[in-house]
């Protein structure tokens, strides 16, 4: 519990195993005897009457973060008040100097450990100039409750996305009976973001971003509020979820072997399509003069790119080649711009001709995914149908 009061003097909070005391012994409930010269005994001046103590605002319970005023009021005829002292049954104390007959100690509840009985007393001066301390006040109970349990925040279709893709945030309260009224709030980097929460009384709230942008990246969390005795009570926040929004993938890069793009008929041509980003599942497609080489695609590539090897190329295979990259972002395939075209020129005639009655093929391609180390894994190699010659 932290103090927010402007006091002329305030002692530090300290842990005590019993009711605290200061000059005048506030815990004395009956007058004490004193010994005077000659061995005679006389009674000391009795303590001042006990003050009254109250809490403001008057609530049946408080939450962590609530501001509370503990008001201690001396009764009429209690002499000239000099100071007030406050303490709690759970081990904190504080003192404030004040000449007024009432003093309010303003504190902020830090947690359930601040709950319990609170007491106060005052010190005053009598008409003859002597000082004394009052009896302790009756206790007033500060009931502190913990906030509702935190919700769970999920992001779909994925915490990592690209600009322009949708995002859906779902904030789900813990299972159990729901109160009559409940509302949800979403936060990015601990600041609330405007969103339409779930219907009051529901177990979850939703926030949808139709087209994500760079501003939608950050650490997201959520919380819910429940109506209890006319007051909205906020839950603990959910664990933070990091959302990354990346730029769309740049075009892949296509190059050929031989690098000149000029190859003899019947010789081998290799097409290599490279893309460095590997945050998403990817697949590659190869094209000649805008037409795809095959209906098959090369997917689940784990290296920097993919390649197609044309073992015996035919003159008809001359043309402008390109490739395309697609990334699976949240269950949808997002296509990057196509690569720049590379011209391939096939010279001469093939050494063999197809067998009569069999349609000629332009090439015998071998598709393979190339890992980063440059070697081809056997499971990544796919041999297409070979024509008969």
């Amino acid at each position: 519990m932290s103090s927010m009061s402007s006091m002329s003097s305030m002692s530090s909070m300290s842990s005590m195993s019993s009711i605290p005391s200061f000059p005048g012994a506030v815990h004395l409930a009956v007058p004490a005897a004193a010994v005077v010269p000659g061995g005679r005994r006389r009674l000391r001046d009795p303590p001042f009457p006990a003050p009254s103590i109250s809490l403001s605002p008057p609530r049946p319970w408080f939450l962590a973060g609530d501001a509370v005023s503990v008001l201690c009021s001396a009764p009429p005829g209690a002499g000239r008040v000099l100071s007030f002292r406050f303490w709690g049954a759970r081990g904190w104390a504080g003192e404030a100097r004040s000449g007024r007959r009432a003093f309010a100690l303003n504190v902020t509840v830090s947690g359930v450990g601040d709950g319990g009985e609170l007491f106060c007393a005052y010190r005053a001066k009598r008409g003859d100039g002597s000082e004394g301390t009052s009896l302790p006040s009756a206790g007033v109970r500060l009931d502190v409750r913990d906030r509702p349990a935190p919700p769970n925040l999920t992001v779909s279709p994925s915490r990592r996305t690209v600009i322009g893709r949708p995002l859906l945030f779902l904030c789900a309260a813990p299972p159990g009976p729901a109160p009559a009224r409940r509302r949800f709030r979403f936060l990015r980097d601990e600041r609330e973001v405007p969103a339409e929460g779930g219907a009051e009384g529901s177990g979850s709230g939703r926030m949808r971003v139709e087209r994500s942008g760079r501003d939608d990246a950050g650490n997201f969390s959520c919380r819910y509020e429940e109506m209890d005795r006319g007051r909205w009570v906020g839950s603990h926040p959910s664990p933070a979820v990091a959302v990354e929004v990346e730029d769309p993938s740049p075009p892949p890069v296509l190059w050929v072997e031989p690098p000149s793009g000029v190859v003899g008929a019947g010789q081998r041509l290799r097409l290599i399509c490279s893309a460095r980003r590997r945050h998403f599942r990817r697949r590659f497609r190869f094209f000649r003069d805008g037409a795809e080489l095959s209906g098959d695609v090369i997917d689940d590539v784990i290296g920097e790119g993919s390649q197609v090897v044309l073992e015996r190329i035919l003159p008809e295979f001359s043309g402008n080649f390109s490739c395309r990259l697609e990334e699976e972002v949240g269950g949808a395939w997002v296509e990057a711009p196509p690569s720049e075209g590379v011209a391939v020129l096939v010279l001469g005639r093939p050494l063999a001709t197809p067998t009569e009655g069999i349609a000629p093929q332009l090439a015998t391609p071998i598709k393979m995914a190339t890992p980063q180390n440059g070697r081809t894994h056997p499971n990544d190699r796919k041999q297409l149908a070979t024509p008969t010659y």
Side-chain angles (χ1 to χ4, degrees), residues 1-5 55-59 61-70 105-111 114 142 144 147 231:
M1 183 179 293
S2 59
S3 173
M4 301 188 301
S5 173
L55 301 179
S56 180
R59 291 177 177 170
W61 42 264
F62 295 85
L63 297 170
D66 284 348
V68 185
S69 292
V70 186
L105 176 66
N106 297 323
V107 295
T108 300
V109 178
S110 60
D114 292 337
L142 178 65
V144 180
R147 295 185 177 274
R231 180 186 182 191

mmCIF file of all heavy atoms in Angstrom, residues 1-5 55-59 61-70 105-111 114 142 144 147 231:
data_model
loop_
_atom_site.group_PDB
_atom_site.id
_atom_site.type_symbol
_atom_site.label_atom_id
_atom_site.label_comp_id
_atom_site.label_asym_id
_atom_site.label_seq_id
_atom_site.Cartn_x
_atom_site.Cartn_y
_atom_site.Cartn_z
ATOM 1 N N MET A 1 0.861 -1.186 0.000
ATOM 2 C CA MET A 1 0.000 0.000 0.000
ATOM 3 C C MET A 1 0.891 1.228 0.000
ATOM 4 O O MET A 1 1.817 1.338 0.805
ATOM 5 C CB MET A 1 -0.906 -0.020 1.232
ATOM 6 C CG MET A 1 -1.894 1.138 1.285
ATOM 7 S SD MET A 1 -2.943 1.039 2.736
ATOM 8 C CE MET A 1 -3.877 -0.413 2.388
ATOM 9 N N SER A 2 0.690 2.145 -0.905
ATOM 10 C CA SER A 2 1.535 3.319 -1.026
ATOM 11 C C SER A 2 0.745 4.561 -0.662
ATOM 12 O O SER A 2 -0.443 4.670 -0.937
ATOM 13 C CB SER A 2 2.071 3.439 -2.448
ATOM 14 O OG SER A 2 0.999 3.525 -3.339
ATOM 15 N N SER A 3 1.395 5.536 -0.031
ATOM 16 C CA SER A 3 0.734 6.757 0.410
ATOM 17 C C SER A 3 0.762 7.797 -0.683
ATOM 18 O O SER A 3 1.741 7.963 -1.384
ATOM 19 C CB SER A 3 1.434 7.286 1.662
ATOM 20 O OG SER A 3 0.918 8.547 2.004
ATOM 21 N N MET A 4 -0.365 8.556 -0.824
ATOM 22 C CA MET A 4 -0.440 9.636 -1.790
ATOM 23 C C MET A 4 -0.776 10.946 -1.087
ATOM 24 O O MET A 4 -1.083 11.944 -1.722
ATOM 25 C CB MET A 4 -1.497 9.343 -2.855
ATOM 26 C CG MET A 4 -1.251 8.069 -3.639
ATOM 27 S SD MET A 4 -2.368 7.898 -5.020
ATOM 28 C CE MET A 4 -3.943 7.917 -4.163
ATOM 29 N N SER A 5 -0.721 10.984 0.249
ATOM 30 C CA SER A 5 -1.146 12.165 1.003
ATOM 31 C C SER A 5 -0.014 13.156 1.113
ATOM 32 O O SER A 5 1.164 12.805 1.189
ATOM 33 C CB SER A 5 -1.617 11.736 2.392
ATOM 34 O OG SER A 5 -1.880 12.858 3.180
ATOM 35 N N LEU A 55 -13.521 4.703 5.938
ATOM 36 C CA LEU A 55 -12.911 4.605 4.609
ATOM 37 C C LEU A 55 -13.746 5.381 3.606
ATOM 38 O O LEU A 55 -14.971 5.411 3.680
ATOM 39 C CB LEU A 55 -12.808 3.148 4.152
ATOM 40 C CG LEU A 55 -12.012 2.185 5.029
ATOM 41 C CD1 LEU A 55 -12.041 0.779 4.437
ATOM 42 C CD2 LEU A 55 -10.573 2.666 5.185
ATOM 43 N N SER A 56 -13.080 5.996 2.653
ATOM 44 C CA SER A 56 -13.756 6.725 1.582
ATOM 45 C C SER A 56 -13.031 6.424 0.260
ATOM 46 O O SER A 56 -11.797 6.485 0.215
ATOM 47 C CB SER A 56 -13.745 8.229 1.856
ATOM 48 O OG SER A 56 -14.398 8.932 0.821
ATOM 49 N N PRO A 57 -13.791 6.063 -0.777
ATOM 50 C CA PRO A 57 -15.248 5.915 -0.833
ATOM 51 C C PRO A 57 -15.706 4.665 -0.093
ATOM 52 O O PRO A 57 -14.943 3.690 0.003
ATOM 53 C CB PRO A 57 -15.525 5.791 -2.334
ATOM 54 C CG PRO A 57 -14.271 5.212 -2.897
ATOM 55 C CD PRO A 57 -13.165 5.778 -2.095
ATOM 56 N N PRO A 58 -16.912 4.681 0.420
ATOM 57 C CA PRO A 58 -17.404 3.506 1.148
ATOM 58 C C PRO A 58 -17.778 2.382 0.184
ATOM 59 O O PRO A 58 -18.810 2.449 -0.484
ATOM 60 C CB PRO A 58 -18.628 4.045 1.900
ATOM 61 C CG PRO A 58 -19.098 5.205 1.067
ATOM 62 C CD PRO A 58 -17.880 5.802 0.428
ATOM 63 N N ARG A 59 -16.952 1.383 0.092
ATOM 64 C CA ARG A 59 -17.203 0.258 -0.800
ATOM 65 C C ARG A 59 -17.160 -1.038 -0.018
ATOM 66 O O ARG A 59 -16.432 -1.137 0.983
ATOM 67 C CB ARG A 59 -16.158 0.204 -1.919
ATOM 68 C CG ARG A 59 -16.242 1.333 -2.928
ATOM 69 C CD ARG A 59 -15.127 1.217 -3.947
ATOM 70 N NE ARG A 59 -15.215 2.255 -4.969
ATOM 71 C CZ ARG A 59 -14.258 2.502 -5.860
ATOM 72 N NH1 ARG A 59 -13.150 1.773 -5.835
ATOM 73 N NH2 ARG A 59 -14.421 3.458 -6.763
ATOM 74 N N TRP A 61 -15.751 -3.694 -1.082
ATOM 75 C CA TRP A 61 -14.426 -4.267 -1.331
ATOM 76 C C TRP A 61 -13.681 -3.367 -2.312
ATOM 77 O O TRP A 61 -14.253 -2.529 -2.999
ATOM 78 C CB TRP A 61 -14.527 -5.690 -1.891
ATOM 79 C CG TRP A 61 -15.580 -5.890 -2.932
ATOM 80 C CD1 TRP A 61 -16.847 -6.353 -2.752
ATOM 81 C CD2 TRP A 61 -15.461 -5.597 -4.334
ATOM 82 N NE1 TRP A 61 -17.524 -6.377 -3.926
ATOM 83 C CE2 TRP A 61 -16.705 -5.931 -4.936
ATOM 84 C CE3 TRP A 61 -14.441 -5.122 -5.143
ATOM 85 C CZ2 TRP A 61 -16.942 -5.768 -6.290
ATOM 86 C CZ3 TRP A 61 -14.671 -4.978 -6.499
ATOM 87 C CH2 TRP A 61 -15.907 -5.297 -7.052
ATOM 88 N N PHE A 62 -12.349 -3.555 -2.344
ATOM 89 C CA PHE A 62 -11.480 -2.764 -3.207
ATOM 90 C C PHE A 62 -10.608 -3.700 -4.033
ATOM 91 O O PHE A 62 -10.435 -4.876 -3.701
ATOM 92 C CB PHE A 62 -10.601 -1.822 -2.364
ATOM 93 C CG PHE A 62 -11.365 -0.762 -1.620
ATOM 94 C CD1 PHE A 62 -11.916 -1.033 -0.377
ATOM 95 C CD2 PHE A 62 -11.533 0.496 -2.165
ATOM 96 C CE1 PHE A 62 -12.628 -0.059 0.313
ATOM 97 C CE2 PHE A 62 -12.240 1.477 -1.482
ATOM 98 C CZ PHE A 62 -12.790 1.199 -0.235
ATOM 99 N N LEU A 63 -10.021 -3.132 -5.112
ATOM 100 C CA LEU A 63 -9.142 -3.868 -5.990
ATOM 101 C C LEU A 63 -7.763 -3.225 -6.003
ATOM 102 O O LEU A 63 -7.597 -2.052 -5.604
ATOM 103 C CB LEU A 63 -9.691 -3.879 -7.418
ATOM 104 C CG LEU A 63 -11.029 -4.566 -7.650
ATOM 105 C CD1 LEU A 63 -11.529 -4.258 -9.051
ATOM 106 C CD2 LEU A 63 -10.903 -6.062 -7.431
ATOM 107 N N ALA A 64 -6.774 -3.976 -6.432
ATOM 108 C CA ALA A 64 -5.437 -3.415 -6.586
ATOM 109 C C ALA A 64 -5.495 -2.234 -7.542
ATOM 110 O O ALA A 64 -6.109 -2.297 -8.604
ATOM 111 C CB ALA A 64 -4.477 -4.484 -7.095
ATOM 112 N N GLY A 65 -4.864 -1.130 -7.146
ATOM 113 C CA GLY A 65 -4.903 0.091 -7.935
ATOM 114 C C GLY A 65 -5.929 1.096 -7.471
ATOM 115 O O GLY A 65 -5.875 2.259 -7.891
ATOM 116 N N ASP A 66 -6.866 0.676 -6.620
ATOM 117 C CA ASP A 66 -7.876 1.608 -6.111
ATOM 118 C C ASP A 66 -7.249 2.586 -5.119
ATOM 119 O O ASP A 66 -6.372 2.233 -4.333
ATOM 120 C CB ASP A 66 -9.008 0.845 -5.414
ATOM 121 C CG ASP A 66 -9.945 0.174 -6.404
ATOM 122 O OD1 ASP A 66 -9.850 0.481 -7.609
ATOM 123 O OD2 ASP A 66 -10.761 -0.660 -5.975
ATOM 124 N N ALA A 67 -7.724 3.833 -5.175
ATOM 125 C CA ALA A 67 -7.324 4.845 -4.198
ATOM 126 C C ALA A 67 -8.320 4.840 -3.039
ATOM 127 O O ALA A 67 -9.537 4.809 -3.246
ATOM 128 C CB ALA A 67 -7.281 6.229 -4.837
ATOM 129 N N VAL A 68 -7.791 4.863 -1.819
ATOM 130 C CA VAL A 68 -8.618 4.811 -0.614
ATOM 131 C C VAL A 68 -8.157 5.913 0.338
ATOM 132 O O VAL A 68 -6.948 6.128 0.520
ATOM 133 C CB VAL A 68 -8.508 3.449 0.096
ATOM 134 C CG1 VAL A 68 -9.477 3.372 1.271
ATOM 135 C CG2 VAL A 68 -8.749 2.309 -0.876
ATOM 136 N N SER A 69 -9.106 6.592 0.946
ATOM 137 C CA SER A 69 -8.813 7.573 1.994
ATOM 138 C C SER A 69 -9.211 6.986 3.346
ATOM 139 O O SER A 69 -10.360 6.583 3.530
ATOM 140 C CB SER A 69 -9.578 8.882 1.760
ATOM 141 O OG SER A 69 -9.096 9.551 0.618
ATOM 142 N N VAL A 70 -8.253 6.926 4.267
ATOM 143 C CA VAL A 70 -8.515 6.454 5.631
ATOM 144 C C VAL A 70 -8.635 7.698 6.510
ATOM 145 O O VAL A 70 -7.638 8.381 6.773
ATOM 146 C CB VAL A 70 -7.391 5.525 6.119
ATOM 147 C CG1 VAL A 70 -7.754 4.921 7.472
ATOM 148 C CG2 VAL A 70 -7.104 4.428 5.100
ATOM 149 N N LEU A 105 -5.615 9.895 5.411
ATOM 150 C CA LEU A 105 -4.427 9.275 4.833
ATOM 151 C C LEU A 105 -4.841 8.641 3.506
ATOM 152 O O LEU A 105 -5.644 7.713 3.473
ATOM 153 C CB LEU A 105 -3.863 8.212 5.775
ATOM 154 C CG LEU A 105 -2.665 7.418 5.253
ATOM 155 C CD1 LEU A 105 -1.452 8.325 5.076
ATOM 156 C CD2 LEU A 105 -2.333 6.269 6.198
ATOM 157 N N ASN A 106 -4.304 9.170 2.408
ATOM 158 C CA ASN A 106 -4.642 8.671 1.075
ATOM 159 C C ASN A 106 -3.643 7.597 0.662
ATOM 160 O O ASN A 106 -2.431 7.837 0.637
ATOM 161 C CB ASN A 106 -4.635 9.811 0.058
ATOM 162 C CG ASN A 106 -5.675 10.860 0.368
ATOM 163 O OD1 ASN A 106 -6.772 10.529 0.811
ATOM 164 N ND2 ASN A 106 -5.335 12.128 0.152
ATOM 165 N N VAL A 107 -4.139 6.423 0.347
ATOM 166 C CA VAL A 107 -3.281 5.300 -0.009
ATOM 167 C C VAL A 107 -3.801 4.668 -1.291
ATOM 168 O O VAL A 107 -4.960 4.851 -1.672
ATOM 169 C CB VAL A 107 -3.232 4.240 1.118
ATOM 170 C CG1 VAL A 107 -2.589 4.811 2.361
ATOM 171 C CG2 VAL A 107 -4.620 3.719 1.419
ATOM 172 N N THR A 108 -2.933 3.938 -1.965
ATOM 173 C CA THR A 108 -3.290 3.165 -3.152
ATOM 174 C C THR A 108 -3.125 1.689 -2.838
ATOM 175 O O THR A 108 -2.040 1.267 -2.409
ATOM 176 C CB THR A 108 -2.411 3.557 -4.348
ATOM 177 O OG1 THR A 108 -2.593 4.945 -4.632
ATOM 178 C CG2 THR A 108 -2.788 2.736 -5.581
ATOM 179 N N VAL A 109 -4.168 0.937 -3.032
ATOM 180 C CA VAL A 109 -4.124 -0.498 -2.747
ATOM 181 C C VAL A 109 -3.200 -1.179 -3.755
ATOM 182 O O VAL A 109 -3.361 -1.013 -4.973
ATOM 183 C CB VAL A 109 -5.539 -1.107 -2.821
ATOM 184 C CG1 VAL A 109 -5.494 -2.605 -2.562
ATOM 185 C CG2 VAL A 109 -6.461 -0.414 -1.810
ATOM 186 N N SER A 110 -2.221 -1.926 -3.281
ATOM 187 C CA SER A 110 -1.277 -2.601 -4.165
ATOM 188 C C SER A 110 -1.631 -4.065 -4.402
ATOM 189 O O SER A 110 -1.147 -4.662 -5.358
ATOM 190 C CB SER A 110 0.137 -2.512 -3.586
ATOM 191 O OG SER A 110 0.194 -3.126 -2.306
ATOM 192 N N GLY A 111 -2.459 -4.658 -3.544
ATOM 193 C CA GLY A 111 -2.825 -6.056 -3.721
ATOM 194 C C GLY A 111 -3.600 -6.577 -2.536
ATOM 195 O O GLY A 111 -3.916 -5.838 -1.581
ATOM 196 N N ASP A 114 -2.821 -5.971 1.239
ATOM 197 C CA ASP A 114 -3.150 -4.734 1.967
ATOM 198 C C ASP A 114 -4.468 -4.833 2.727
ATOM 199 O O ASP A 114 -4.820 -3.908 3.455
ATOM 200 C CB ASP A 114 -3.238 -3.556 0.995
ATOM 201 C CG ASP A 114 -1.886 -3.196 0.413
ATOM 202 O OD1 ASP A 114 -0.875 -3.525 1.054
ATOM 203 O OD2 ASP A 114 -1.845 -2.592 -0.672
ATOM 204 N N LEU A 142 -10.622 -3.217 5.637
ATOM 205 C CA LEU A 142 -10.344 -2.954 4.238
ATOM 206 C C LEU A 142 -10.346 -4.304 3.514
ATOM 207 O O LEU A 142 -9.407 -5.094 3.625
ATOM 208 C CB LEU A 142 -8.989 -2.262 4.073
ATOM 209 C CG LEU A 142 -8.547 -1.957 2.640
ATOM 210 C CD1 LEU A 142 -9.484 -0.940 1.999
ATOM 211 C CD2 LEU A 142 -7.113 -1.447 2.604
ATOM 212 N N VAL A 144 -9.956 -6.402 0.338
ATOM 213 C CA VAL A 144 -9.302 -6.306 -0.971
ATOM 214 C C VAL A 144 -9.498 -7.623 -1.709
ATOM 215 O O VAL A 144 -9.173 -8.698 -1.186
ATOM 216 C CB VAL A 144 -7.802 -5.992 -0.832
ATOM 217 C CG1 VAL A 144 -7.148 -5.907 -2.210
ATOM 218 C CG2 VAL A 144 -7.606 -4.689 -0.068
ATOM 219 N N ARG A 147 -8.288 -9.462 -8.831
ATOM 220 C CA ARG A 147 -9.003 -9.277 -10.085
ATOM 221 C C ARG A 147 -9.330 -10.630 -10.716
ATOM 222 O O ARG A 147 -8.683 -11.634 -10.414
ATOM 223 C CB ARG A 147 -8.175 -8.431 -11.052
ATOM 224 C CG ARG A 147 -7.969 -7.004 -10.562
ATOM 225 C CD ARG A 147 -7.243 -6.163 -11.597
ATOM 226 N NE ARG A 147 -7.115 -4.791 -11.137
ATOM 227 C CZ ARG A 147 -8.029 -3.847 -11.292
ATOM 228 N NH1 ARG A 147 -9.165 -4.164 -11.908
ATOM 229 N NH2 ARG A 147 -7.857 -2.628 -10.843
ATOM 230 N N ARG A 231 -20.366 -1.969 -10.611
ATOM 231 C CA ARG A 231 -19.011 -1.523 -10.916
ATOM 232 C C ARG A 231 -18.376 -2.477 -11.930
ATOM 233 O O ARG A 231 -18.485 -3.695 -11.798
ATOM 234 C CB ARG A 231 -18.169 -1.486 -9.640
ATOM 235 C CG ARG A 231 -16.737 -1.027 -9.864
ATOM 236 C CD ARG A 231 -15.915 -1.160 -8.604
ATOM 237 N NE ARG A 231 -14.565 -0.676 -8.798
ATOM 238 C CZ ARG A 231 -13.568 -0.852 -7.936
ATOM 239 N NH1 ARG A 231 -13.796 -1.507 -6.799
ATOM 240 N NH2 ARG A 231 -12.367 -0.384 -8.187
#
